[in-house]
Amino acid sequence: MDLLLWGVMPYVAATLLIAGLIWRARYDRFGLTTHSSQLHESRLLRVGSPLFHFGMAFVVLGHVVGLLVPDSWTDAVGVSDHTYHLLAVSTGAVAGLAAAVGIGILVYRRLRVPAVRKATLRSDHVMYAVLLGAMLLGLVATALNSSGVVDYNYREGVSVWFRGLFTLQPDYRLMGAAPLAFKLHVAFGFALFALIPFSRLAHVVSAPFKYLFRPYVVYRRRDPRQLANREPKRGWERAS
């Protein structure tokens, strides 16, 4: 079971992610959208969306540093394990809490606003359930580990296993020895990766970077007094 879960499942999720995104880009590129519902309600969206997106940005950054940076590198630059874990727990808790509050507001909005609820797809229900599960399990794992209830150094277990995935030599026994909260958090995380191509989360790969390099759009303000004094003309008028 450990071999299937931690030696095979990550590659299945990665295959679904890559193949699904390629298929969407080839046959459904105009469907790579958030399916925005801002026209239906914007007050809750203005609060929940920034909290969720900025919180998730720091959560992802923290996972990248925690999983991909070996402890030997931080030791080499003079960062002790205590300092590292203190920074990781404090910043990760704030970012995770912000993201959790943001997604909570968005889910409440989607359930309570009738127009937004009608615009909700079946894939949204699955995506929200897996996303909330991954976030809450991550917060639980962090709380248990930082409070001393679970004595586990993920940099010597989960991180080593995760880096082994890139060399096609994952030590699945390391994940097998991890606490249950960490296992569930990782499992929900890979399930979320597999769902990305089949949900609105696919918009993360369709950021409009070309807008950064497009020329400015120049708007000219017209004097309303001139418009009021003009005599209306019949038919089409040449634009000046």
Side-chain angles (χ1 to χ4, degrees):
M1 182 60 68
D2 287 339
L3 175 61
L4 290 176
L5 287 176
W6 317 120
V8 178
M9 182 266 291
Y11 296 108
V12 174
T15 302
L16 289 174
L17 172 65
I18 297 172
L21 289 177
I22 292 176
W23 184 89
R24 290 287 300 269
R26 185 177 178 86
Y27 298 104
D28 187 32
R29 65 178 61 186
F30 295 108
L32 295 174
T33 172
T34 60
H35 302 287
S36 176
S37 56
Q38 184 176 0
L39 291 176
H40 299 306
E41 196 281 335
S42 60
R43 183 173 58 88
L44 292 173
L45 188 64
R46 284 197 299 267
V47 178
S49 183
L51 276 175
F52 170 68
H53 285 91
F54 284 108
M56 281 301 298
F58 284 99
V59 167
V60 172
L61 180 61
H63 278 70
V64 170
V65 174
L67 295 175
L68 297 182
V69 177
D71 51 2
S72 59
W73 290 16
T74 53
D75 292 340
V77 296
V79 178
S80 64
D81 288 340
H82 176 73
T83 302
Y84 174 85
H85 286 293
L86 182 62
L87 291 174
V89 170
S90 58
T91 57
V94 172
L97 184 60
V101 171
I103 194 64
I105 294 174
L106 295 179
V107 171
Y108 172 82
R109 170 181 176 270
R110 190 160 293 277
L111 295 176
R112 299 297 298 175
V113 179
V116 180
R117 185 170 63 250
K118 290 181 180 180
T120 303
L121 305 175
R122 292 180 180 178
S123 60
D124 295 333
H125 295 289
V126 179
M127 181 269 294
Y128 278 121
V130 177
L131 179 59
L132 282 170
M135 295 174 62
L136 293 177
L137 286 168
L139 290 174
V140 169
T142 301
L144 293 177
N145 202 35
S146 60
S147 62
V149 176
V150 175
D151 186 14
Y152 179 71
N153 187 354
Y154 67 90
R155 302 187 76 191
E156 297 178 353
V158 177
S159 298
V160 177
W161 162 80
F162 185 78
R163 291 195 297 270
L165 293 173
F166 295 94
T167 61
L168 303 182
Q169 294 179 339
D171 189 351
Y172 60 88
R173 298 177 185 85
L174 292 175
M175 273 302 303
L180 180 60
F182 286 86
K183 292 180 180 179
L184 293 176
H185 177 56
V186 172
F188 269 73
F190 277 105
L192 187 62
F193 286 144
L195 285 174
I196 286 178
F198 313 103
S199 66
R200 68 176 65 228
L201 290 178
H203 76 276
V204 299
V205 299
S206 60
F209 292 110
K210 64 180 181 180
Y211 279 78
L212 298 175
F213 308 100
R214 71 174 183 175
Y216 292 106
V217 179
V218 180
Y219 293 92
R220 183 178 61 180
R221 177 176 296 178
R222 305 184 70 174
D223 192 343
R225 293 174 299 179
Q226 295 178 355
L227 296 177
N229 296 329
R230 289 182 56 192
E231 295 182 1
K233 296 183 179 181
R234 298 180 60 184
W236 291 97
E237 180 182 354
R238 181 185 294 274
S240 58

Coordinates of all heavy atoms in Angstrom, one line a residue, residues 112-173:
R112 N -24.6 30.9 -0.4 CA -25.6 31.8 0.1 C -26.2 32.7 -1.0 O -27.3 33.2 -0.9 CB -25.1 32.6 1.3 CG -24.7 31.8 2.4 CD -25.8 31.0 3.0 NE -26.9 31.9 3.5 CZ -28.0 31.5 4.0 NH1 -28.3 30.2 4.0 NH2 -28.9 32.4 4.5
V113 N -25.4 33.1 -2.0 CA -25.9 34.0 -3.0 C -26.5 33.1 -4.1 O -25.9 32.3 -4.8 CB -24.7 34.8 -3.6 CG1 -25.2 35.7 -4.7 CG2 -24.1 35.6 -2.5
P114 N -27.8 33.3 -4.4 CA -28.6 32.4 -5.3 C -28.0 32.4 -6.7 O -27.8 31.3 -7.3 CB -30.0 33.0 -5.3 CG -30.1 33.7 -4.0 CD -28.8 34.2 -3.7
A115 N -27.6 33.6 -7.2 CA -27.1 33.7 -8.6 C -25.8 32.9 -8.7 O -25.5 32.3 -9.7 CB -27.0 35.1 -9.1
V116 N -24.9 33.1 -7.7 CA -23.6 32.4 -7.7 C -23.8 30.9 -7.5 O -23.1 30.1 -8.2 CB -22.7 33.0 -6.6 CG1 -21.4 32.3 -6.6 CG2 -22.5 34.5 -6.8
R117 N -24.7 30.5 -6.7 CA -25.0 29.1 -6.5 C -25.5 28.4 -7.8 O -25.1 27.3 -8.1 CB -26.0 28.9 -5.4 CG -26.3 27.5 -5.0 CD -27.1 27.4 -3.7 NE -28.4 27.9 -3.9 CZ -28.9 29.0 -3.3 NH1 -28.1 29.7 -2.5 NH2 -30.1 29.4 -3.5
K118 N -26.3 29.1 -8.5 CA -26.8 28.6 -9.8 C -25.6 28.4 -10.8 O -25.7 27.6 -11.7 CB -27.9 29.4 -10.4 CG -29.2 29.4 -9.6 CD -30.3 30.2 -10.2 CE -31.6 30.1 -9.4 NZ -32.6 31.0 -10.0
A119 N -24.6 29.3 -10.7 CA -23.5 29.2 -11.7 C -22.4 28.3 -11.3 O -21.4 28.1 -11.9 CB -22.9 30.6 -11.8
T120 N -22.6 27.5 -10.1 CA -21.7 26.6 -9.7 C -21.8 25.3 -10.4 O -22.8 24.7 -10.6 CB -21.9 26.3 -8.2 OG1 -21.8 27.6 -7.4 CG2 -20.8 25.4 -7.6
L121 N -20.6 24.8 -10.9 CA -20.6 23.5 -11.6 C -20.4 22.4 -10.7 O -20.0 22.5 -9.5 CB -19.4 23.6 -12.6 CG -19.4 24.7 -13.6 CD1 -18.2 24.7 -14.5 CD2 -20.7 24.7 -14.5
R122 N -20.6 21.1 -11.2 CA -20.4 20.0 -10.4 C -18.9 19.8 -10.0 O -18.6 19.4 -8.9 CB -20.9 18.7 -11.1 CG -22.4 18.7 -11.3 CD -22.8 17.4 -12.1 NE -24.2 17.3 -12.3 CZ -24.8 16.4 -12.9 NH1 -24.1 15.4 -13.5 NH2 -26.2 16.4 -13.1
S123 N -18.1 20.2 -10.9 CA -16.6 20.1 -10.6 C -16.2 21.0 -9.5 O -15.2 20.8 -8.8 CB -15.8 20.3 -11.9 OG -16.1 21.7 -12.4
D124 N -17.0 22.1 -9.4 CA -16.6 23.1 -8.3 C -16.8 22.4 -6.9 O -16.0 22.7 -6.0 CB -17.5 24.3 -8.4 CG -17.2 25.1 -9.7 OD1 -16.1 25.0 -10.2 OD2 -18.1 25.8 -10.2
H125 N -17.9 21.7 -6.8 CA -18.1 21.0 -5.5 C -17.0 20.1 -5.1 O -16.5 20.1 -4.0 CB -19.4 20.2 -5.5 CG -20.6 21.1 -5.7 ND1 -21.1 21.9 -4.7 CD2 -21.5 21.2 -6.8 CE1 -22.2 22.6 -5.2 NE2 -22.4 22.2 -6.4
V126 N -16.5 19.3 -6.1 CA -15.4 18.4 -5.8 C -14.1 19.2 -5.5 O -13.4 18.9 -4.6 CB -15.2 17.4 -7.0 CG1 -14.0 16.5 -6.8 CG2 -16.5 16.6 -7.3
M127 N -13.9 20.2 -6.3 CA -12.7 21.0 -6.2 C -12.6 21.7 -4.8 O -11.6 21.6 -4.1 CB -12.6 22.0 -7.3 CG -11.3 22.9 -7.3 SD -11.6 24.4 -6.3 CE -12.8 25.3 -7.3
Y128 N -13.7 22.3 -4.4 CA -13.8 22.9 -3.1 C -13.6 21.9 -2.0 O -12.9 22.3 -1.0 CB -15.1 23.7 -2.9 CG -15.1 25.0 -3.6 CD1 -16.1 25.3 -4.6 CD2 -14.2 26.0 -3.3 CE1 -16.1 26.6 -5.2 CE2 -14.2 27.3 -3.9 CZ -15.2 27.5 -4.8 OH -15.2 28.8 -5.5
A129 N -14.2 20.8 -2.1 CA -14.0 19.8 -1.0 C -12.6 19.3 -0.9 O -12.0 19.3 0.2 CB -14.9 18.6 -1.3
V130 N -11.9 19.0 -2.0 CA -10.5 18.6 -1.9 C -9.6 19.7 -1.5 O -8.7 19.5 -0.7 CB -10.1 18.1 -3.3 CG1 -8.6 17.7 -3.3 CG2 -10.9 16.9 -3.7
L131 N -9.9 21.0 -2.0 CA -9.0 22.1 -1.6 C -9.2 22.4 -0.1 O -8.2 22.6 0.6 CB -9.4 23.3 -2.4 CG -8.7 24.6 -2.2 CD1 -7.2 24.5 -2.4 CD2 -9.2 25.7 -3.0
L132 N -10.4 22.4 0.4 CA -10.6 22.7 1.8 C -9.9 21.6 2.6 O -9.3 21.8 3.7 CB -12.1 22.8 2.1 CG -12.7 24.1 1.8 CD1 -14.2 24.0 1.9 CD2 -12.2 25.2 2.7
G133 N -10.1 20.3 2.2 CA -9.5 19.2 2.9 C -8.0 19.3 3.0 O -7.4 19.1 4.1
A134 N -7.3 19.7 1.9 CA -5.9 19.8 1.9 C -5.4 21.0 2.8 O -4.4 20.8 3.5 CB -5.4 20.1 0.4
M135 N -6.1 22.1 2.8 CA -5.8 23.2 3.6 C -6.0 22.9 5.1 O -5.1 23.2 5.9 CB -6.6 24.4 3.1 CG -6.3 24.9 1.7 SD -7.4 26.2 1.2 CE -7.0 27.5 2.4
L136 N -7.1 22.4 5.4 CA -7.4 22.1 6.8 C -6.4 21.0 7.4 O -5.9 21.2 8.5 CB -8.8 21.7 7.0 CG -9.9 22.7 6.7 CD1 -11.3 22.2 6.9 CD2 -9.7 23.9 7.6
L137 N -6.1 20.0 6.6 CA -5.2 19.0 7.0 C -3.8 19.6 7.2 O -3.0 19.1 8.1 CB -5.2 17.8 6.0 CG -6.4 16.9 6.1 CD1 -6.4 16.0 4.9 CD2 -6.4 16.1 7.4
G138 N -3.4 20.5 6.3 CA -2.1 21.1 6.5 C -2.0 21.9 7.8 O -1.0 21.9 8.5
L139 N -3.1 22.7 8.1 CA -3.1 23.4 9.3 C -3.1 22.5 10.5 O -2.4 22.8 11.5 CB -4.4 24.3 9.4 CG -4.4 25.5 8.4 CD1 -5.7 26.2 8.4 CD2 -3.3 26.5 8.7
V140 N -3.8 21.4 10.5 CA -3.8 20.4 11.6 C -2.4 19.8 11.7 O -2.0 19.7 12.9 CB -4.9 19.3 11.3 CG1 -4.7 18.2 12.3 CG2 -6.3 19.9 11.4
A141 N -1.8 19.4 10.7 CA -0.5 18.8 10.8 C 0.5 19.8 11.4 O 1.4 19.5 12.2 CB 0.0 18.4 9.4
T142 N 0.4 21.1 10.9 CA 1.3 22.1 11.5 C 1.0 22.4 13.0 O 2.0 22.5 13.8 CB 1.1 23.5 10.7 OG1 1.4 23.3 9.3 CG2 2.0 24.5 11.3
A143 N -0.2 22.4 13.4 CA -0.6 22.6 14.8 C -0.1 21.4 15.6 O 0.5 21.7 16.7 CB -2.1 22.8 14.9
L144 N -0.3 20.2 15.2 CA 0.1 19.1 16.0 C 1.6 19.0 16.1 O 2.1 18.7 17.2 CB -0.4 17.8 15.3 CG -1.9 17.6 15.3 CD1 -2.3 16.3 14.6 CD2 -2.5 17.5 16.7
N145 N 2.3 19.3 15.1 CA 3.8 19.2 15.1 C 4.4 20.4 15.9 O 5.4 20.1 16.6 CB 4.3 19.3 13.7 CG 5.7 18.7 13.6 OD1 6.0 17.7 14.3 ND2 6.5 19.2 12.7
S146 N 3.8 21.6 15.8 CA 4.4 22.7 16.5 C 4.1 22.7 18.0 O 4.8 23.2 18.8 CB 3.9 24.0 15.9 OG 2.5 24.1 16.0
S147 N 2.9 22.0 18.3 CA 2.6 22.0 19.8 C 3.2 20.8 20.5 O 3.1 20.7 21.7 CB 1.0 21.8 19.9 OG 0.6 20.6 19.3
G148 N 3.9 19.9 19.8 CA 4.6 18.8 20.4 C 3.8 17.6 20.5 O 4.2 16.6 21.1
V149 N 2.5 17.6 20.1 CA 1.7 16.4 20.1 C 2.2 15.3 19.3 O 2.2 14.2 19.6 CB 0.2 16.8 19.7 CG1 -0.7 15.5 19.7 CG2 -0.4 17.8 20.7
V150 N 2.8 15.8 18.1 CA 3.4 14.9 17.2 C 4.9 15.3 17.0 O 5.1 16.5 16.7 CB 2.7 14.9 15.8 CG1 3.5 14.0 14.8 CG2 1.3 14.3 15.9
D151 N 5.8 14.5 17.3 CA 7.2 14.8 17.2 C 7.8 14.2 15.9 O 8.1 13.0 15.8 CB 8.0 14.2 18.4 CG 9.5 14.7 18.4 OD1 9.8 15.6 17.7 OD2 10.3 14.0 19.2
Y152 N 7.8 15.1 14.9 CA 8.2 14.6 13.6 C 8.9 15.7 12.8 O 8.4 16.9 12.8 CB 6.9 14.2 12.8 CG 7.2 13.7 11.4 CD1 7.9 12.5 11.2 CD2 6.9 14.5 10.3 CE1 8.1 12.0 9.9 CE2 7.1 14.0 9.0 CZ 7.8 12.8 8.8 OH 8.0 12.4 7.6
N153 N 10.0 15.4 12.3 CA 10.8 16.4 11.4 C 10.6 16.0 10.0 O 11.1 15.1 9.4 CB 12.3 16.2 11.8 CG 13.1 17.3 11.1 OD1 12.6 18.1 10.3 ND2 14.4 17.4 11.4
Y154 N 9.7 16.8 9.4 CA 9.3 16.5 8.0 C 10.5 16.8 7.0 O 10.4 16.2 5.9 CB 8.1 17.4 7.6 CG 8.4 18.9 7.5 CD1 8.8 19.5 6.3 CD2 8.2 19.7 8.6 CE1 9.1 20.8 6.2 CE2 8.4 21.0 8.5 CZ 8.9 21.6 7.3 OH 9.1 22.9 7.3
R155 N 11.5 17.5 7.4 CA 12.6 17.8 6.5 C 13.5 16.6 6.4 O 14.3 16.5 5.4 CB 13.4 19.0 7.0 CG 12.7 20.3 7.2 CD 13.6 21.4 7.5 NE 14.3 21.8 6.4 CZ 15.3 22.7 6.4 NH1 15.8 23.1 7.6 NH2 16.0 23.1 5.3
E156 N 13.4 15.6 7.3 CA 14.1 14.4 7.2 C 13.2 13.2 6.7 O 13.7 12.1 6.5 CB 14.7 14.0 8.6 CG 15.7 15.0 9.1 CD 16.2 14.7 10.5 OE1 15.6 13.7 11.1 OE2 17.1 15.3 11.0
G157 N 12.0 13.5 6.5 CA 11.1 12.4 6.0 C 10.4 12.8 4.7 O 10.7 12.4 3.6
V158 N 9.3 13.7 4.8 CA 8.5 14.0 3.7 C 9.3 14.8 2.6 O 9.2 14.5 1.4 CB 7.3 14.9 4.1 CG1 6.5 15.4 2.9 CG2 6.4 14.2 5.1
S159 N 10.2 15.7 3.1 CA 11.0 16.4 2.1 C 12.0 15.6 1.3 O 12.1 15.7 0.1 CB 11.8 17.5 2.9 OG 10.9 18.4 3.5
V160 N 12.6 14.6 2.0 CA 13.5 13.7 1.3 C 12.8 12.8 0.3 O 13.2 12.6 -0.8 CB 14.3 12.8 2.3 CG1 15.2 11.8 1.6 CG2 15.1 13.7 3.3
W161 N 11.6 12.3 0.7 CA 10.8 11.6 -0.2 C 10.3 12.4 -1.4 O 10.4 11.9 -2.5 CB 9.6 11.0 0.5 CG 8.5 10.6 -0.4 CD1 8.4 9.4 -1.0 CD2 7.3 11.3 -0.7 NE1 7.2 9.3 -1.8 CE2 6.5 10.5 -1.6 CE3 6.8 12.6 -0.4 CZ2 5.3 10.9 -2.2 CZ3 5.6 13.0 -0.9 CH2 4.9 12.2 -1.8
F162 N 9.9 13.6 -1.2 CA 9.4 14.5 -2.3 C 10.5 14.8 -3.3 O 10.3 14.7 -4.5 CB 8.9 15.8 -1.7 CG 8.2 16.6 -2.7 CD1 7.0 16.4 -3.2 CD2 8.9 17.8 -3.2 CE1 6.4 17.2 -4.1 CE2 8.3 18.6 -4.1 CZ 7.0 18.3 -4.6
R163 N 11.7 15.1 -2.8 CA 12.8 15.3 -3.7 C 13.2 14.1 -4.5 O 13.6 14.2 -5.7 CB 14.0 15.9 -2.9 CG 13.8 17.3 -2.4 CD 15.1 17.9 -2.0 NE 15.8 17.2 -0.9 CZ 15.6 17.4 0.4 NH1 14.7 18.4 0.8 NH2 16.2 16.7 1.4
G164 N 13.0 12.9 -3.9 CA 13.3 11.7 -4.6 C 12.3 11.5 -5.8 O 12.7 10.7 -6.7
L165 N 11.2 12.1 -5.8 CA 10.2 12.0 -6.9 C 10.8 12.5 -8.2 O 10.6 12.0 -9.3 CB 8.9 12.7 -6.6 CG 8.1 12.1 -5.5 CD1 6.9 13.0 -5.2 CD2 7.6 10.7 -5.9
F166 N 11.6 13.5 -8.1 CA 12.2 14.2 -9.3 C 13.4 13.3 -9.9 O 13.7 13.5 -11.1 CB 12.7 15.6 -9.0 CG 11.6 16.5 -8.6 CD1 11.3 16.7 -7.2 CD2 10.9 17.2 -9.5 CE1 10.3 17.6 -6.9 CE2 9.9 18.1 -9.2 CZ 9.6 18.3 -7.9
T167 N 14.0 12.5 -9.1 CA 15.0 11.6 -9.6 C 14.5 10.2 -9.9 O 15.3 9.3 -10.2 CB 16.2 11.5 -8.5 OG1 15.7 11.0 -7.3 CG2 16.8 12.9 -8.3
L168 N 13.2 10.1 -9.8 CA 12.5 8.8 -10.0 C 12.9 7.7 -9.1 O 12.8 6.5 -9.4 CB 12.7 8.3 -11.5 CG 12.3 9.3 -12.6 CD1 12.6 8.7 -14.0 CD2 10.9 9.7 -12.4
Q169 N 13.4 8.1 -7.9 CA 13.8 7.2 -6.8 C 13.2 7.6 -5.5 O 13.9 7.8 -4.5 CB 15.3 7.1 -6.8 CG 16.0 6.5 -8.0 CD 17.5 6.4 -7.9 OE1 18.1 7.2 -7.1 NE2 18.1 5.6 -8.6
P170 N 11.9 7.7 -5.4 CA 11.3 8.1 -4.1 C 11.4 7.0 -3.1 O 11.1 5.8 -3.4 CB 9.8 8.4 -4.5 CG 9.6 7.5 -5.7 CD 10.9 7.4 -6.4
D171 N 11.8 7.3 -1.9 CA 11.8 6.3 -0.8 C 10.5 6.3 -0.1 O 10.2 7.1 0.8 CB 13.0 6.7 0.2 CG 13.2 5.6 1.2 OD1 12.4 4.7 1.3 OD2 14.2 5.7 2.0
Y172 N 9.6 5.5 -0.6 CA 8.2 5.5 -0.1 C 8.1 5.1 1.3 O 7.1 5.4 2.0 CB 7.3 4.6 -1.0 CG 7.8 3.2 -1.1 CD1 7.3 2.2 -0.1 CD2 8.6 2.7 -2.0 CE1 7.7 0.9 -0.2 CE2 9.0 1.4 -2.1 CZ 8.6 0.5 -1.1 OH 9.0 -0.8 -1.2
R173 N 9.1 4.4 1.8 CA 9.1 4.0 3.3 C 9.1 5.3 4.2 O 8.6 5.2 5.3 CB 10.3 3.1 3.6 CG 10.3 1.8 2.8 CD 11.5 1.0 3.0 NE 11.6 -0.2 2.2 CZ 12.1 -0.2 1.0 NH1 12.6 0.9 0.5 NH2 12.1 -1.4 0.3

